[in-house]
Amino acid sequence: MVISARVHYACVAMLELAIRSDEGSPVAIREITDRHGVPGPFLVQILRSLRGLGWVQSVRGSQGGYRLSVDPATISLLDIAEAIGSQEVGCRTEGKRTPIAGILQAQWDDAADASRQVLGQATLSGLVERAQQGDASMFYI
Amino acid sequence: MVISARVHYACVAMLELAIRSDEGSPVAIREITDRHGVPGPFLVQILRSLRGLGWVQSVRGSQGGYRLSVDPATISLLDIAEAIGSQEVGCRTEGKRTPIAGILQAQWDDAADASRQVLGQATLSGLVERAQQGDASMFYI
DNA sequence: TTATACTTGACTAAAGAGATCATATTCATA
DNA sequence: TATGAATATGATCTCTTTAGTCAAGTATAA
């Protein structure tokens, strides 16, 4: 599973919205791009996808922006990665169905499952909690 | 970690050579392409890389071909994937160093480690043993 | 009415994957 | 010593994906 910039940005946006979900007023795209250095028009695309999934709501007009519309405990990084579209660990090549190909395929599948399990356990609410406990500071000494 | 066709074919070739390493005579490229449906000129490229790594030897001329030149117990699928070049699970985007980015990065790294561990434990000799025990038949019912 | 902010759709540049081809070079064997 | 089988090497090509841009339109608060 390759984490593309698109998926990474989608996770950043979802986390930012989750953290600020108790503010009441929606969060403008501009605030996210400024704070996280995400290219503006690209983030627009991504938020549109998230809106299509029903995970965020948009508020148009002045004072508009985006707001989380799901329980952050129910969304994992795996959900976001799969929905936004990232490539699986594994192989799409067809080739011949030989025993060797079969054994290899089983290994690719096992590897994919291992990383999927890690990302599946990382819920937005869990990560927000960590962020608020300052757990992140250790990464930027 | 995305397993590209290149990596998959490299593993197929290494396994084929490992299985037939007691035959004495080298294995021709043609035999591998016929048996596994790998595009010929593409496999040539890949075997060249494997030769550069010192993992296979080539024998030129008539009756030539390739031969494994390392102990199959010392090479894992992870070694092949990394040497041939596959993308990591994870993210290369730089962006700003925010706490959110840091927390996400840690998750991408954890996921990468999980799949790397699976592939690191799969040695060529282990897979050959499985193949010879007919373990593969279950994948093609 | 005006500034702000989201909406929508089309568009482009760069990189990588997956090959393919032509032309050498080497060596066993007849 | 020809000859054919087999690898060696470098150049090239196409297709898809990724990342990012642009322009014109619409809605809303103040």
Side-chain angles (χ1 to χ4, degrees), chain B residues 1 3 6 8 22 29 41 44 47 54 63 70 73 82 89-90 97 99 103 107 109 123 128 130 135 137:
Chain B
M1 173 159 289
I3 305 302
R6 187 183 299 269
H8 181 77
D22 51 354
I29 287 184
V44 170
L47 283 169
Q63 311 299 316
V70 287
E82 291 190 332
V89 180
R97 293 301 193 100
I103 285 177
Q107 297 298 316
D109 290 345
T123 63
V128 166
R130 275 206 219 174
D135 193 9
S137 59

Side-chain angles (χ1 to χ4, degrees), chain A:
Chain A
M1 173 159 292
V2 167
I3 304 303
S4 61
R6 188 184 298 270
V7 168
H8 182 76
Y9 292 154
C11 292
V12 166
M14 289 291 280
L15 279 172
E16 182 72 20
L17 295 183
I19 288 173
R20 302 175 58 179
S21 59
D22 51 355
E23 284 185 9
S25 58
V27 179
I29 287 183
R30 188 65 196 284
E31 295 180 63
I32 301 180
T33 62
D34 285 352
R35 192 181 299 248
H36 295 102
V38 181
F42 193 26
L43 183 59
V44 169
Q45 263 191 18
I46 294 164
L47 283 169
R48 232 166 104 186
S49 302
L50 294 174
R51 182 164 153 271
L53 293 164
W55 291 349
V56 303
Q57 286 178 330
S58 63
V59 179
R60 297 177 71 158
S62 179
Q63 311 298 317
Y66 284 86
R67 186 181 279 147
L68 205 65
S69 59
V70 287
D71 178 356
T74 64
I75 305 282
S76 70
L77 296 186
L78 179 62
D79 295 327
I80 298 174
E82 291 191 331
I84 293 299
S86 58
Q87 293 174 58
E88 275 300 304
V89 180
C91 204
R92 293 149 303 186
T93 48
E94 298 296 326
K96 290 192 182 173
R97 294 301 194 100
T98 62
I100 284 179
I103 284 177
L104 285 176
Q105 189 62 54
Q107 298 298 317
W108 309 144
D109 290 345
D110 285 351
D113 287 343
S115 62
R116 286 165 54 87
Q117 195 178 358
V118 169
L119 297 182
Q121 285 170 351
T123 63
L124 290 183
S125 55
L127 297 178
V128 166
E129 203 170 327
R130 276 206 218 176
Q132 287 170 343
Q133 288 172 359
D135 192 9
S137 59
M138 57 186 292
F139 299 114
Y140 302 107
I141 298 172

